[in-house]
Amino acid sequence: MTPTTILVVAFVAISVFFTFVGAVGMLRLPDVYTRSHAATKADTLGAGFAILAVAVYFGTAGEVIRAAILFGFIYYTNPTAAHAITRAAYSQGIEPWTRDDSEGGSR
Amino acid sequence: MADVSRPGGVVVPVEPSASLEGTVSHAVEAVRADALGSVHLVRTGHRTHDRKLRRDRRTLDRAEEYAREAAGEDVTIETALLGNDRYMADPGEHVDLLVEYVHEHDLDRIILGPSYSVDSTAPSLQPVESVLSTTDVEYERAPVSKSAWGPTREGLVRGGVLFGLSVVFYLALGGLGSTFTYFAAIGTGVLVAVLLGNVVFETTPHLRSALGVAGRSLLFVPYLLWEIAKANVLFAYVVLHPSLPIDPGMDRVDGAVSDGLSVTSFANSISLTPGTLTVDAIGNHLLVHSLTEGARDDVAAGVHEGAVRFLFYGREGLELPNPGVRGDMEPLSGPAATEQTEGGEPDD
C-alpha cells in the first residue's frame, strides 16, 4: 500500500467511526433535542473526514477545491437543519428531557 | 434670534448618501414651515469598534454642517449617536431606537432620506416603512430626488462584490481554461449581481473590515475545527459509554454580538460543536440546548462567543468578559435550573 492509500483508508475509517457514533446516539439518546445532537453533529466530522479522504484520493487542485466547497456547504447547512428541527419541537412545547425524568423509570 | 427652542421638532436618521444634504435641508424647511423648534440628526447602530464610531461621527458632522448652513438662527440643531449601549440584531431595533428618541424629546415626526434604509438590512428585504407603520410615530420620506434614478454608490459596491464572488465561485467549480467558461462566468456573475445584489449583503461591505474578517478567519476556522474535533471525541465517549452519562439542559444565552451575520455565526458555531445546539434565536438572545455539563461550561466560558467577537471585531472584541461572568447565561431547564428552584420540579 502506498502512503496515500493508507491515509485515505485512515480518513475513511475515522469518518465511518463518527457516522457510527451518530447512529448509536440516535438510538440511545432519550429525546428529540438530544437526538438531533447525534443526527446532525456527528456528520460534521463524519462527512468532513469522508470529504478529506476524497480530496486526498483525487489529489488534483480542481477536486480539492470542489471538496472544500462541499465541506463548506455541509458546515453551513448542518446547524441550520438541527436548528430547524429543534426549533419546531420547542415551539410545539416539547419539554427537554432532563436527568430527573430518568428516575421515574422511563428511558 | 436664538430665542431657544420653540417646542417640537423632527428627527432625521442620517446615512452617508448623496441625498444627505437635500434631506437635511428639507427637514430644516419643514421645521420652519410648521413653526417647530429643532432638527435632531441621529445615527443609529451599535459601534462595535472605534473605526465604526469615527465613521458614524463623520457622517453626523457632515449632516450637521449642512443643517447649520440651511438653518440660520431660528432652528436648533441637535445631533446624537443612538444605540451604542445595546446589541442589535434586528432592523426593527433601530426603528425602536428612533421611536424612543421621538418620545423622549417630544418630537413631531421622523423624516427619512429618499433612499434611507436601516444599515442592518438590505433595502428590499424589509423597508423601514413597514416597521415604522406599526408604531404610533408619524414619518415621511423627504421629497428629494436621489440624484436621478442612477444606482447608488452602495448599490454599486454590493453588486460589484457579489459579481466578483460569483465569478470566482463559478471558476472554482468549472475550472479554468476554456473561453466558454470565462464568458459563462461573467454572464452568471452579472445575472446574480443584478438579481440578488440587494438581498445578499446585510450591510454594504467595507474593504478594510472585510479584509480584517477574512484575515482573522484564517485563525478562526482552524480554531473552530479544532473545537469541533475535540467536542466530537467527547460526544463519542458520552454516547458509547455504557451508562450514557448525559445531563441535558436548556439555557438562555445573550451573545454580545450585533447584527445578523455575527449572531448567525455565533449561533452556528454553538450548533456545530457537538454537545451544544442553538434551538432558537430572538435578536441576540439564543436558546441553547446542551448535552453535558462540560458543553454548558464551554458556552459560559465564551469558547464560541470570544472567537466570533474576535472574528468580527478584532482584538478589541476579546476584552469583554465571557457570558458566564457577565451573567448573560440563565438556565431554563436541566440540573442548574432544578437547583435554582431548590430541589423542586424544573420550572418551565
Side-chain angles (χ1 to χ4, degrees):
Chain A
M1 287 211 285
T2 64
T4 317
T5 319
I6 295 172
L7 205 58
V8 169
V9 169
F11 286 154
V12 170
I14 296 173
S15 158
V16 169
F17 171 73
F18 281 112
T19 314
F20 174 72
V21 167
V24 172
M26 194 70 182
L27 291 173
R28 292 194 73 194
L29 291 169
D31 74 341
V32 60
Y33 300 102
T34 47
R35 278 183 172 162
S36 60
H37 283 274
T40 51
K41 256 83 66 56
D43 292 6
T44 326
L45 269 200
F49 273 100
I51 288 169
L52 200 58
V54 168
V56 172
Y57 181 78
F58 287 102
T60 60
E63 299 303 327
V64 171
I65 290 173
R66 264 163 240 171
I69 291 175
L70 199 53
F71 182 66
F73 281 128
I74 292 177
Y75 196 84
Y76 285 116
T77 52
N78 230 338
T80 315
H83 168 71
I85 294 169
T86 51
R87 183 164 189 245
Y90 192 75
S91 60
Q92 290 289 310
I94 297 176
E95 287 290 314
W97 182 93
T98 58
R99 202 76 239 180
D100 302 342
D101 298 352
S102 67
E103 278 140 32
S106 69
R107 196 160 55 104
Chain B
M1 278 186 280
D3 54 299
V4 182
S5 41
R6 287 181 297 253
V10 300
V11 59
V12 184
V14 299
E15 62 171 357
S17 75
S19 53
L20 180 61
E21 181 169 10
T23 306
V24 169
S25 33
H26 168 79
V28 171
E29 289 308 319
V31 162
R32 204 173 270 145
D34 296 355
L36 299 171
S38 52
V39 172
H40 295 246
L41 306 166
V42 299
R43 175 102 180 119
T44 59
H46 178 71
R47 261 64 65 176
T48 40
H49 37 58
D50 292 346
R51 212 168 50 247
K52 192 152 182 236
L53 180 65
R54 281 199 299 273
R55 213 155 54 208
D56 281 356
R57 207 52 279 168
R58 239 185 354 252
T59 308
L60 213 49
D61 286 347
R62 202 150 58 89
E64 193 181 352
E65 258 173 52
Y66 292 144
R68 294 213 182 281
E69 267 171 40
E73 287 182 357
D74 54 339
V75 176
T76 324
I77 310 292
E78 308 268 356
T79 62
L81 288 169
L82 302 182
N84 219 8
D85 54 343
R86 63 170 104 175
Y87 293 94
M88 287 181 288
D90 186 71
E93 292 175 71
H94 290 257
V95 173
D96 289 346
L97 278 178
L98 287 179
V99 171
E100 254 171 54
Y101 188 88
V102 166
H103 288 311
E104 194 182 314
H105 291 79
D106 216 6
L107 300 178
D108 278 45
R109 59 181 189 271
I110 301 175
I111 293 185
L112 305 171
S115 58
Y116 179 81
S117 63
V118 172
D119 198 28
S120 148
T121 184
S124 57
L125 283 187
Q126 190 177 16
V128 186
E129 279 99 333
S130 72
V131 187
L132 269 176
S133 60
T134 63
T135 67
D136 57 347
V137 172
E138 280 184 50
Y139 64 93
E140 61 169 286
R141 285 274 180 190
V144 182
S145 72
K146 37 181 170 182
S147 57
W149 258 81
T152 59
R153 194 187 144 270
E154 279 76 20
L156 283 179
V157 172
R158 285 168 190 242
V161 172
L162 189 56
F163 171 76
L165 286 177
S166 22
V167 167
V168 168
F169 181 68
Y170 190 97
L171 291 179
L173 278 184
L176 304 173
S178 72
T179 322
F180 172 76
T181 326
Y182 294 126
F183 276 110
I186 291 171
T188 41
V190 169
L191 205 63
V192 169
V194 168
L195 289 179
L196 300 177
N198 277 339
V199 182
V200 170
F201 293 108
E202 207 184 13
T203 55
T204 306
H206 284 272
L207 185 65
R208 286 242 315 262
S209 37
L211 283 180
V213 170
R216 286 191 294 271
S217 71
L218 293 180
L219 285 175
F220 174 78
V221 172
Y223 170 80
L224 191 60
L225 286 177
W226 171 242
E227 287 297 326
I228 289 172
K230 228 168 48 177
N232 244 309
V233 172
L234 280 176
F235 178 74
Y237 166 78
V238 169
V239 165
L240 298 178
H241 194 285
S243 68
L244 199 63
I246 59 169
D247 198 357
M250 189 86 90
D251 294 85
R252 204 205 66 229
V253 181
D254 297 341
V257 280
S258 239
D259 84 67
L261 187 62
S262 41
V263 172
T264 311
S265 305
F266 179 45
N268 268 11
S269 40
I270 287 178
S271 286
L272 272 168
T273 41
T276 47
L277 181 64
T278 308
V279 172
D280 206 348
I282 299 154
N284 64 328
H285 313 289
L286 305 187
L287 202 58
V288 177
H289 185 264
S290 48
L291 206 52
T292 60
E293 190 69 53
R296 266 194 295 287
D297 292 344
D298 275 359
V299 176
V303 166
H304 317 88
E305 193 198 66
V308 170
R309 284 179 57 85
F310 171 72
L311 176 64
F312 287 103
Y313 312 143
R315 216 167 296 144
E316 302 166 38
L318 289 174
E319 284 160 14
L320 200 77
N322 61 50
V325 174
R326 288 203 312 271
D328 274 351
M329 193 161 163
E330 178 199 353
L332 300 176
S333 85
T338 319
E339 272 162 39
Q340 268 191 351
T341 52
E342 281 156 336
E345 291 296 298
D347 60 348
D348 36 350

